[in-house]
Amino acid sequence: CINPLKMQEEVRQRKSEPSTVPNDGREADELDSVEQPVSTPEKEKKKTSILTRVVSGFAIFFAFIYIIYLGHYPTLSLVVLIQFGLFYELLNVRYEEAVEKEIPHFRTLHWMIFITAMFIVFGDSTAVGMMYYVPEFEYVVKYHLIISVLLYSALFVVIVLSLKKGYLKYQIGQIAWSMLTIVIVVFQIRAVVPMVMDGLIWFVLSTTTVITNDTMAYFCGMLFGKKFFPKPLTPLSPNKSWEGFIGGGICTIIIGQIIVHSIQIPHLYCPFDHPGCPLPDYYQPHFYAFPAALANILHIKGFSTCPIYLHELVFSIFASLVAPFGGFFASAIKRAYGKKDFNSIIPGHGGLMDRFDCQFIMLYFTSMYYATFIKAKEYEVTDVLRIIATLSLSDKQILFQHLKESIALGDI
């Protein structure tokens, strides 16, 4: 039989016990993992998860090496496949099946937006490469801009016609989300194609530097996490520690220099159209003089090194300080929509977005840095003079005036 007095006593005991869930308005999926006790079976499960993560990580790494070995076009094809996979995963974040059934072909429209963006950003450079094999791609290169405008205009009309009364808020939200996804997945990779065609080495350095930072931050966090700094690095990722962030950065700088020394391979540094190229200038020693004041203090005029080591130092710093925020942003998305992972395609890692969240912003930085500081100049002075010789007197005067203004502003 049920004892009412005993039941009342149990209720009083439960009320007197402190609640394990903070009463601050957060949803259950937003609770920090550090606030939840970990049982022994979960610890064993975590060990198994780490092993799975390591094994699948090595599998991904060796697959990556094989694709790099295959050459420039297979590498670019890999980037495109990852872009499609990332768009699919991010599109699913806000997907509501019940609503989508009431809006026929609305999901197809998002893919039309993505493919149009891919053509606008990559169509020209891709067509130039394809001209080696199919000369007719010359027309795509010649008319790329007008084709892009026509595709964009047609798509804009289709988007407006697809809007349905009663679902406008959902549709506008989804379209806006697709635009943000395109910025993440397409825009950040817009300058990668010419960089890869000029030499795989910059793509390899960019990706391996992020991999190094991610891996070393993970292990430094496991070994030293919360021992010196009790608070997490960011509330968006409570398992990320300051020790992992700092230790991962230091290790990335050191290992990055070793990677640069190890990949001095013609297959990596030679351009697509010049496979037997000589050793490039950035692998040749250069002397860097210190400013006079510093040289007088140190009694050293400067130092000599290959420029690529300095470039990799910049990449390592960016990969350590900025690229991790791509992961934090991905964590914020998962928390906002109550997801543990974006997908389960990679055992122990989750989806493509879980694995490549830091890579795209790193590739964007590397491609811009390469175009600004590393890429060889397209024209020599003699080439410019030859072009000037063909100009009329009035055009030469206009050019001369622009040159004077540029010099006065310090642009040249």
Side-chain angles (χ1 to χ4, degrees), residues 167-182:
Y167 299 93
L168 294 177
K169 186 175 181 180
Y170 175 80
Q171 287 181 287
I172 296 298
Q174 285 293 84
I175 292 169
W177 178 252
S178 294
M179 297 302 181
L180 174 61
T181 302
I182 285 170

Side-chain angles (χ1 to χ4, degrees), residues 5 23 42 62-63 71 99 164 175 179 186 193 200 237 253 289 302:
L5 295 176
N23 187 22
E42 287 191 5
F62 286 116
V99 179
K164 187 176 180 181
I175 292 169
M179 297 302 181
V186 180
V193 174
L200 288 165
S237 296
I253 291 173

Side-chain angles (χ1 to χ4, degrees), residues 65-75 267:
I65 291 176
Y66 179 68
I67 291 172
I68 293 295
Y69 167 77
L70 292 178
H72 300 75
Y73 275 115
T75 301
H267 177 71

Side-chain angles (χ1 to χ4, degrees), residues 69-102:
Y69 167 77
L70 292 178
H72 300 75
Y73 275 115
T75 301
L76 291 176
S77 299
L78 172 66
V79 173
V80 172
L81 286 174
I82 292 173
Q83 286 179 289
F84 272 83
L86 289 177
F87 186 78
Y88 170 79
E89 290 181 355
L90 288 170
L91 190 62
N92 280 345
V93 167
R94 288 172 51 90
Y95 178 73
E96 295 181 18
E97 186 176 1
V99 179
E100 295 277 350
K101 286 181 178 179
E102 302 297 325

Side-chain angles (χ1 to χ4, degrees), residues 23 58 70 93 123 127 130 135 191-193 203 211 230 258 272 281 283 302 318 336 341 344 348 371:
N23 187 22
F58 274 108
L70 292 178
V93 167
M130 291 303 296
V192 167
V193 174
F203 179 82
I211 291 170
I258 298 172
F272 166 75
D281 183 66
Y283 262 123
F318 187 89
D341 293 314
S344 56

